[in-house]
Amino acid sequence: MTLSTGHSAALDFAQPEPPDLSSGKYVKLWQGPQHPGITGNMSLELVLDGDTIVSCKTHVGYLHRGFEKLMERRSFIQNFTVVCRIAVPEPTFNEYLYSHAVEEISGIEVPERAIWLRTMNLELMRLASFLMWIGGQSGAFGQYTVPNWTLAYRDYVLDLFEEMTGARIYHMYIVPGGVRAGLPDGFEERAREIMKGAEKLLDQIERVMFNNVVFKARSKGLGIITPDMVDPYGIVGPNARACGLARDIRKDEPYLAYDRLDFETISGNEADAYGRAYLRLQETRQSINLIRQCLDHAPTDGPFQADMPNVLHWKVPAGETYVKAECTRGEYGYYMVTDGSEFVRRVHVRGPSYTHAIAVMERLAVGTNIADIAGLMVSLHTYPPEIER
Amino acid sequence: MIKTLGTEDTLENAGLTDEEQQLFSNARPRAYEPYPIKAVEDFANWARANSLWILAFGTGCGAIELRPLMTARFDANRFGVAGRPTPRQSSVFIIGGYASVKTLKRIIRSYEQMQGPKFVIALGICPINGGMYFDSYNTVNRFDQYIPVDLYITGCMPRPEVLVAGIMELQNKIKAGRCDGANRYVENFDWYKANQKKVIKNWDMPDYNW
Amino acid sequence: MNELLERLQRHFDVNNINVLKPGMTTLKIGKDSAEILIRELRDREGYTHLNFITCIDYIEDGIFTLVYMLHNYDSKHTLGVHVDIDREHEEMTSIHTLWAQAWTYQRELREMYGINFPGSPRLDEDFCLEGWDQIPPMRREFDTRVFSEERFGHREGRHSEVPRVHMKMELYPKRGGDEE
Ligand code: SF4
């Protein structure tokens, strides 16, 4: 299928005229930051006409810590403990991309075993993150059974992380030069066991959530993304794939071991909240499959870390690079500039939520019912900490 | 009963416009006084300790471990802990880690809107001394200069097991009547306000959000 | 790839072409023709995806380098367009009409570096900071540690070590933490 994704003059990015609040026709409402129907710590400034939203403004910055500034005054090895805090529910992508950028500039070769362990780590993270997302999506439409299932099951995945890396959330496992440890004894059997359970759970979720009348009625037709919006708005990941574009960095520009894994890019044909949710469910299954393949192929011996210079006075040569990876929400990227000193010159972190939560959200929200805003927000899958960093 | 207050008891509300001044109360907060009979107070404390309702406000990274805590595996409901969407209904404020200046303003607002008795738990290292953001220009270093904290739970980030232990510790403290954070806030109100205003430069809300 | 660069060189005054790796090239262009070049890349050359806009502060040369990262999905190629602007007159043409998310980046750059993009919508609204009264924080002359100590204070009875210095002192105590 060929789709026109080009930039057409028909799309108008002009900011809409602010509604006239003094007319008495509209109500202004803040959703967040202290609000149960918001993803994380951000807020939406909504103007309503009755039940319908006439304008939406996203406010971010509640989690701003100034990472890019802090990284400029920490040495290269210190930074790797800091970067994972940038996207709280999905830290390993930050670790991987930071390490990869440093390795690329300084020309460090990562051993084969570390490549497979990294791939497995990233896929486990994807599984854990999607499990939490599915719970969030169904919770946003008022069904509280599925979140209880998925969040409890996610904990088993976190247990795997704990075995593998020693931590539940912030693993700090992928270090420049390789990974921090190999797999413990018996990890493989336990991982396979948990994957089996996860598959069963996803089948149940499909039956309970995706066939539910209420969920269908509320999510079908909500927040439709058309293919011609994709490029002008910079939409990536499942949000773009759901409208028929087969774009997946894992497949198109393979990194780590993805060129040796057997999988297909999944794309849907309906980019409403339901279509996106279904696509993510399939991607969760795909991720389970990929973890199994990693378990099959990962070498069990050999070094997992390259020889590194003394990290206390480690100078990285001057250079510049942009590396990216496909996280659950799309393209996650690190742009790094070094100047030959012990400190990095500039790091820019590109999170997919940056456009999804601001430009896309502000457009899709207009005309939606106020009750569906939480569902729409979750269905775009945004994490505020990666927007403001 | 509405008490008319003398000018020396009222707050200035200098951050508000004249029109807004009419809309907001300018009364000072009042300290909680225990019941005169000790048995009654103990009973009240026992009841409070077993219905800790948490305000759903994920202020930092620590919020991510609250979800496992509330759902099936760790199931905090068995301690009488439940999540509430609005400050008016909740009695426990969990500060999920670092507080950026922009969030601090909302934290203050939500905290003051909570009805007493209220308790604050701070998660992680960041509220204690800034943690790994000790040199960040946007996160506060010592959280209890701005809001009194009843209990710190350490870890980066604290595991759900630690959170459960912390909740039990908070219950013991409440039962023993040693959770006086809200009273400290009232007694040292001017000191807290001065600290808050030192970091929040665009103070455009009432001095106390009733 | 080379044809594209040749075409660009014929029509524009691009220099400093740098092939960083297969699939990624950077080039530098003057401030005035940057917007036309980016528009051309988007409309004719298939660089339809804007990865990000960012800025590097070269305080020693007195310039800000703006980086526009563009991606072509068909040829799987990323092109970084660098534009130098003067640190004293930090102003750049806005590209908010080309991509819907561009104004957000420009708003961020306005707040973090103080760069002006005339015409960009909602440019002066607060993005991450609120009530900020210092120089823009991402500029290199802004010292975040000093600021943090002054504004937020420390907890009495504790002190913060700079972890790097502390580690060196532990490892080389005799030499006073000296590296050599
Ligand atoms: S203590 Fe750790 S987990 Fe908690 S807010 Fe700070 S950095 Fe995040």
Side-chain angles (χ1 to χ4, degrees):
Chain A
M1 183 169 46
T2 49
L3 291 160
S4 92
T5 57
H7 292 256
S8 62
L11 279 172
D12 184 13
F13 313 138
Q15 293 285 311
E17 279 291 304
D20 177 20
L21 287 172
S22 63
S23 67
K25 201 168 158 235
Y26 303 110
V27 175
K28 183 147 117 179
L29 203 68
W30 282 80
Q31 178 155 343
Q34 193 273 302
H35 191 282
I38 197 98
T39 56
N41 195 350
M42 64 190 286
S43 65
L44 300 175
E45 184 186 349
L46 305 169
V47 179
L48 300 169
D49 176 5
D51 263 1
T52 317
I53 288 154
V54 289
S55 106
C56 166
K57 272 188 185 181
T58 311
H59 290 259
V60 295
Y62 299 97
L63 297 172
H64 179 65
R65 285 150 281 176
F67 274 114
E68 290 168 2
K69 185 83 184 174
L70 298 187
M71 283 164 81
E72 283 173 17
R73 54 188 309 284
R74 282 163 168 69
S75 63
F76 283 95
I77 199 70
Q78 282 179 301
N79 275 340
F80 108 89
T81 55
V82 178
V83 288
C84 51
R85 269 91 183 156
I86 293 178
V88 188
E90 239 168 69
T92 44
F93 287 94
N94 290 285
E95 292 168 18
Y96 162 62
L97 285 171
Y98 173 74
S99 308
H100 187 49
V102 176
E103 284 153 10
E104 206 174 282
I105 293 180
S106 49
I108 297 172
E109 283 287 326
V110 182
E112 178 72 7
R113 188 167 168 213
I115 290 181
W116 283 98
L117 289 177
R118 282 180 177 189
T119 317
M120 181 151 55
N121 194 288
L122 294 186
E123 283 306 321
L124 276 171
M125 192 74 247
R126 191 185 311 273
L127 172 63
S129 177
F130 270 141
L131 282 177
M132 191 158 88
W133 179 85
I134 292 174
Q137 177 73 86
S138 80
F141 287 121
Q143 305 172 315
Y144 296 118
T145 313
V146 179
N148 268 301
W149 290 352
T150 56
L151 280 172
Y153 206 85
R154 171 175 168 268
D155 249 85
Y156 293 126
V157 184
L158 297 190
D159 282 354
L160 285 184
F161 272 125
E162 218 176 321
E163 278 188 39
M164 190 171 177
T165 69
R168 278 166 60 90
I169 306 287
Y170 294 140
H171 315 123
M172 294 175 268
Y173 179 65
I174 302 177
V175 296
V179 294
R180 223 158 24 84
L183 293 179
D185 290 342
F187 179 85
E188 194 181 329
E189 290 87 74
R190 283 188 293 276
R192 284 188 198 275
E193 189 80 5
I194 286 168
M195 292 309 123
K196 215 194 272 165
E199 235 163 25
K200 216 165 114 203
L201 177 77
L202 291 179
D203 290 342
Q204 284 171 347
I205 289 171
E206 181 160 1
R207 239 179 294 144
V208 171
M209 180 172 158
F210 287 82
N211 292 330
N212 183 303
V213 192
V214 178
F215 180 72
K216 267 190 181 166
R218 291 188 65 180
S219 63
K220 286 221 164 163
L222 174 66
I224 295 176
I225 294 177
T226 50
D228 62 351
M229 268 176 78
V230 169
D231 278 349
Y233 278 83
I235 298 170
V236 287
N239 290 346
R241 285 199 283 280
C243 64
L245 298 166
R247 284 179 184 169
D248 189 332
I249 302 173
R250 288 180 289 174
K251 196 85 197 165
D252 299 342
E253 297 163 63
Y255 53 95
L256 288 179
Y258 284 109
D259 50 352
R260 283 167 277 173
L261 293 174
D262 176 28
F263 69 106
E264 287 302 321
T265 303
I266 303 173
S267 58
N269 42 23
E270 266 171 294
D272 54 4
Y274 186 87
R276 289 195 287 268
Y278 195 68
L279 185 104
R280 290 194 177 109
L281 184 79
Q282 284 169 300
E283 293 210 340
T284 321
R285 293 209 170 104
Q286 183 187 51
S287 152
I288 292 176
N289 183 358
L290 290 178
I291 295 167
R292 289 212 178 109
Q293 292 185 35
C294 288
L295 286 171
D296 290 340
H297 297 302
T300 45
D301 47 8
F304 48 73
Q305 182 127 45
D307 282 340
M308 295 286 287
N310 182 345
V311 292
L312 266 185
H313 7 100
W314 177 19
K315 292 198 170 93
V316 171
E320 173 186 359
T321 190
Y322 177 61
V323 292
K324 56 188 178 178
E326 182 82 16
C327 73
T328 53
R329 290 140 288 142
E331 173 193 339
Y332 207 102
Y334 264 60
Y335 174 68
M336 184 180 281
V337 181
T338 51
D339 53 8
S341 72
E342 293 177 45
F343 302 98
V344 60
R345 183 84 204 195
R346 178 81 170 97
V347 185
H348 178 90
V349 184
R350 185 233 190 258
S353 306
Y354 199 90
T355 161
H356 292 167
I358 302 179
V360 181
M361 181 69 194
E362 284 181 3
R363 172 171 162 151
L364 292 183
V366 174
T368 326
N369 192 296
I370 173 78
D372 290 333
I373 262 297
L376 173 62
M377 177 107 235
V378 180
S379 102
L380 292 175
H381 202 180
T382 57
Y383 288 149
E386 76 187 20
I387 304 172
E388 48 233 26
R389 311 179 293 271
Chain B
M1 186 184 63
I2 298 166
K3 205 170 91 190
T4 23
L5 297 158
T7 38
E8 66 279 2
D9 303 280
T10 56
L11 298 166
E12 256 181 65
N13 283 353
L16 299 177
T17 59
D18 286 346
E19 193 192 337
E20 285 169 337
Q21 296 248 357
Q22 312 297 318
L23 301 172
F24 289 97
S25 163
N26 62 353
R28 279 177 171 274
R30 258 165 290 165
Y32 168 77
E33 276 171 31
Y35 291 100
I37 303 166
K38 183 158 182 303
V40 179
E41 174 70 15
D42 283 351
F43 174 73
N45 275 339
W46 172 82
R48 281 166 197 152
N50 287 300
S51 63
L52 298 175
W53 289 5
I54 298 177
L55 176 64
F57 186 5
T59 56
C61 12
I64 191 134
E65 286 288 35
L66 293 181
R67 285 175 226 188
L69 180 73
M70 300 307 295
T71 47
R73 191 179 191 191
F74 295 96
D75 193 13
N77 282 19
R78 64 206 152 119
F79 300 102
V81 173
R84 299 310 299 168
T86 125
R88 297 292 188 205
Q89 297 172 350
S90 26
S91 59
V92 181
F93 198 153
I94 296 196
I95 308 293
Y98 63 91
S100 71
V101 176
K102 200 169 176 178
T103 307
L104 182 68
K105 191 170 163 191
R106 276 77 184 174
I107 291 179
I108 293 165
R109 205 164 180 158
S110 306
Y111 176 74
E112 290 178 349
Q113 283 178 350
M114 283 165 64
Q115 323 237 311
K118 53 189 170 187
F119 316 104
V120 177
I121 299 180
L123 303 188
I125 313 152
C126 293
I128 299 177
N129 65 353
M132 67 168 53
Y133 314 120
F134 71 101
D135 52 353
S136 164
Y137 53 86
N138 203 37
T139 59
V140 301
N141 282 352
R142 188 185 161 181
F143 189 78
D144 61 0
Q145 283 176 333
Y146 312 101
I147 297 282
V149 179
D150 290 302
L151 188 84
Y152 289 102
I153 300 178
T154 192
C156 179
M157 60 193 23
R159 303 165 54 86
E161 291 92 329
V162 188
L163 289 173
V164 169
I167 285 167
M168 287 164 74
E169 180 64 32
L170 185 74
Q171 288 179 330
N172 292 340
K173 265 184 102 172
I174 294 172
K175 283 184 204 149
R178 286 191 291 116
C179 273
D180 57 347
N183 275 1
R184 258 184 289 143
Y185 190 63
V186 173
E187 280 153 20
N188 306 312
F189 188 69
D190 292 324
W191 182 77
Y192 279 114
K193 271 297 137 182
N195 286 340
Q196 290 168 2
K197 287 187 180 172
K198 188 175 165 223
V199 296
I200 299 172
K201 291 294 173 185
N202 60 339
W203 190 278
D204 54 0
M205 55 185 188
D207 284 348
Y208 191 86
N209 298 282
W210 275 99
Chain C
M1 186 35 32
N2 287 329
E3 302 103 72
L4 166 75
L5 292 175
E6 269 165 34
R7 254 196 322 274
L8 290 180
Q9 268 171 327
R10 222 174 305 136
H11 298 294
F12 295 94
D13 184 19
V14 295
N15 44 42
N16 281 16
I17 294 176
N18 205 347
V19 180
L20 295 178
K21 56 179 173 184
M24 186 174 168
T25 309
T26 60
L27 50 86
K28 188 164 269 182
I29 185 151
K31 182 180 163 184
D32 298 325
S33 36
E35 199 227 339
I36 311 169
L37 171 75
I38 292 169
R39 192 183 285 273
E40 175 92 6
L41 285 170
R42 185 193 78 157
D43 292 342
R44 300 255 171 77
E45 309 289 355
Y47 285 84
T48 50
H49 178 57
L50 173 70
N51 292 79
F52 60 84
I53 309 173
T54 191
C55 173
I56 313 165
D57 184 355
Y58 289 108
I59 188 167
E60 60 275 18
D61 304 337
I63 51 171
F64 283 134
T65 302
L66 290 175
V67 183
Y68 297 83
M69 199 62 76
L70 311 175
H71 185 70
N72 184 336
Y73 278 113
D74 298 323
S75 64
K76 296 179 184 139
H77 187 259
T78 307
L79 192 64
V81 178
H82 288 212
V83 183
D84 283 351
I85 57 173
D86 191 0
R87 230 166 158 276
E88 304 297 315
H89 311 99
E90 60 292 58
E91 199 174 278
M92 181 62 199
T93 331
S94 165
I95 60 158
H96 68 274
T97 50
L98 302 185
W99 278 281
Q101 80 269 36
W103 66 268
T104 320
Y105 285 106
Q106 291 174 175
R107 194 170 138 204
E108 183 182 342
L109 290 175
R110 172 74 175 162
E111 189 177 74
M112 292 295 164
Y113 289 92
I115 302 170
N116 192 14
F117 295 89
S120 181
R122 292 164 64 183
L123 190 63
D124 287 313
E125 271 177 39
D126 283 342
F127 186 65
C128 288
L129 309 169
E130 213 180 40
W132 187 252
D133 53 0
Q134 309 284 317
I135 55 169
M138 282 298 289
R139 287 181 171 236
R140 277 186 96 86
E141 69 260 35
F142 176 78
D143 190 332
T144 155
R145 175 113 200 258
V146 170
F147 174 78
S148 157
E149 256 160 36
E150 268 169 24
R151 177 74 52 100
F152 303 119
H154 266 307
R155 200 182 166 90
E156 299 102 65
R158 284 162 199 263
H159 66 283
S160 309
E161 296 271 12
V162 178
R164 219 168 93 86
V165 177
H166 180 74
M167 193 74 194
K168 281 183 182 167
M169 287 298 280
E170 292 274 298
L171 284 179
Y172 318 107
K174 287 215 191 77
R175 285 179 241 142
D178 203 2
E179 295 173 20
E180 305 317 321

